[in-house]
Amino acid sequence: MKSDPAFDLSHFLPYMLNQAAEAASLGFQQVYKQRYGMLRTEWRVLFHLGRHGEMTAKAICERARIHKTKISRAVKALEDRRFLIRHEQQSDRRVELLSLTRAGAAAYADLSAIARDYDQQLAAQFSETERAILRQCLQQLADLPARARE
Amino acid sequence: MKSDPAFDLSHFLPYMLNQAAEAASLGFQQVYKQRYGMLRTEWRVLFHLGRHGEMTAKAICERARIHKTKISRAVKALEDRRFLIRHEQQSDRRVELLSLTRAGAAAYADLSAIARDYDQQLAAQFSETERAILRQCLQQLADLPARARE
DNA sequence: CCCAGTTAGTTGCAAGCGCAACTAACTGGG
DNA sequence: CCCAGTTAGTTGCGCTTGCAACTAACTGGG
């Protein structure tokens, strides 16, 4: 019945990556979910605006590699909660520059501090060498298909 | 505006893991989607039955760490496509042993061979050492929260 | 100066998901 | 021997997602 006894899901890289990603995301996900009722995309948009200042939705799409409809809905949700405001551009009225409100900036400060601690805690189980290799491999995996698509 | 200039999403482990997992899964996802119209959970159920022979839905849940409702729907879908059949147990009529049909086994053989190739192709960009460390780190990340929850 | 093509962002819809509630079947202490 | 508790699996529901179609606004070649 086994066509290939050498192959096993538990050694299949996409599977391992998904399991690890899911497990590693869980703890922090609970924080922004319980504390601010946010979804992942909302946290990411909040993060980008907090980190990089004013941005358009388009720019966030490109940086974060998230589809524009997800961004659109996340922006709306964050706007409804008064975490960001839109600034229409008179030079091009299709474009909206987004920026965090005071409340949004406070949420960003809170969450990014927690994220940093959480990350350090996660990374603490590995040696310096392991961390370096892990990060480099992950970067490479994330980048490779994008390059292939271009 | 930046509360912590040292923190960046692109170095945040859960984020990197998710990006890498998404990118790495894409190529193979297209195969089982286009070739068999399967969802990820369906492929995983197919895989488990192909690899381990007869199993109950419960056993697949535990091994694959997938919620029972997802498994239930995946089993139904695979059954509808005649890829598996259910065997009621007379000793305990709540339990259903699942096993692949000939068509299911053929799909498993096809997909697992592709998965093996795909995995090798993905791994080929790394050195032996990198592969070993990457796999070990991912395993550890995937296992850690489960242990913490027990 | 205008219309075909492009771009920024939104929306409708169908599909997948998580959760909680449910059914059906089994188990064991009193 | 029975009913309270547990287990295997399913279903209904509301929410998130992805896709394609849409609106509104801009651009540039003829």
Side-chain angles (χ1 to χ4, degrees):
Chain A
M1 191 62 76
K2 299 173 189 175
S3 70
D4 180 6
F7 175 71
D8 198 315
L9 251 202
S10 62
H11 297 294
F12 188 42
L13 217 41
Y15 177 80
M16 297 180 77
L17 285 161
N18 273 298
Q19 296 287 100
E22 211 167 293
S25 300
L26 200 69
F28 184 61
Q29 190 176 72
Q30 288 173 341
V31 175
Y32 59 68
K33 198 168 193 177
Q34 288 172 12
R35 210 178 273 211
Y36 296 99
M38 280 187 196
L39 300 174
R40 188 178 358 198
T41 308
E42 292 163 27
W43 143 247
R44 288 200 190 165
V45 168
L46 184 86
F47 171 82
H48 279 279
L49 292 173
R51 185 71 218 270
H52 304 291
E54 286 196 334
M55 295 178 77
T56 66
K58 185 76 194 307
I60 300 176
C61 288
E62 281 158 6
R63 268 185 186 271
R65 288 191 200 157
I66 301 178
H67 195 269
K68 60 182 180 171
T69 62
K70 259 169 103 171
I71 298 288
S72 172
R73 291 186 239 251
V75 166
K76 195 176 183 184
L78 290 172
E79 189 187 27
D80 288 348
R81 277 169 226 160
R82 319 284 154 145
F83 280 175
L84 64 76
I85 45 175
R86 312 185 194 224
H87 310 270
E88 284 199 2
Q89 294 294 91
Q90 56 281 70
S91 61
D92 183 344
R93 280 181 301 153
R94 290 170 308 179
V95 175
E96 294 171 331
L97 271 180
L98 308 170
S99 62
L100 295 185
T101 60
R102 193 170 284 250
Y108 166 72
D110 182 33
L111 286 175
S112 64
I114 294 172
R116 187 177 28 72
D117 291 351
Y118 183 79
D119 194 48
Q120 283 173 2
Q121 192 188 318
L122 260 188
Q125 65 187 302
F126 303 120
S127 72
E128 194 61 55
T129 316
E130 286 172 332
R131 278 198 288 271
I133 290 183
L134 178 61
R135 284 180 198 281
Q136 191 230 308
C137 290
L138 294 178
Q139 197 82 61
Q140 209 168 313
L141 284 165
D143 286 349
L144 202 133
R147 264 187 264 128
R149 253 178 265 123
E150 278 162 14
Chain B
M1 190 61 79
K2 298 172 188 173
S3 71
D4 181 5
F7 175 72
D8 198 314
L9 250 201
S10 62
H11 297 294
F12 188 42
L13 218 42
Y15 177 80
M16 297 180 77
L17 285 161
N18 272 298
Q19 296 288 101
E22 211 167 293
S25 301
L26 200 69
F28 184 62
Q29 190 175 73
Q30 288 173 340
V31 176
Y32 59 68
K33 198 169 193 176
Q34 288 172 12
R35 211 179 273 214
Y36 296 99
M38 280 187 197
L39 301 175
R40 191 189 342 208
T41 307
E42 292 163 29
W43 144 247
R44 287 201 190 165
V45 168
L46 184 86
F47 171 83
H48 279 280
L49 292 174
R51 183 73 216 271
H52 303 290
E54 287 196 334
M55 292 179 78
T56 65
K58 184 77 194 308
I60 300 175
C61 288
E62 281 158 7
R63 268 187 186 271
R65 289 191 201 157
I66 300 178
H67 194 268
K68 59 182 183 173
T69 61
K70 260 169 103 171
I71 297 288
S72 172
R73 286 170 180 141
V75 166
K76 196 178 183 181
L78 290 171
E79 189 187 26
D80 289 348
R81 278 169 226 159
R82 318 283 154 148
F83 280 174
L84 64 76
I85 46 173
R86 313 187 194 221
H87 310 270
E88 284 201 1
Q89 294 294 91
Q90 56 280 71
S91 60
D92 184 343
R93 281 180 301 155
R94 290 171 305 178
V95 176
E96 294 170 331
L97 271 181
L98 308 170
S99 62
L100 295 185
T101 59
R102 195 171 283 252
Y108 166 71
D110 182 33
L111 286 175
S112 64
I114 294 172
R116 187 177 29 71
D117 291 350
Y118 183 80
D119 194 50
Q120 282 173 2
Q121 191 188 317
L122 261 187
Q125 67 187 301
F126 302 121
S127 72
E128 194 62 54
T129 316
E130 286 173 331
R131 278 199 289 271
I133 290 183
L134 178 60
R135 284 180 198 282
Q136 192 229 310
C137 289
L138 293 178
Q139 197 82 60
Q140 208 169 315
L141 284 165
D143 287 349
L144 202 133
R147 263 187 265 127
R149 254 179 264 121
E150 278 160 13

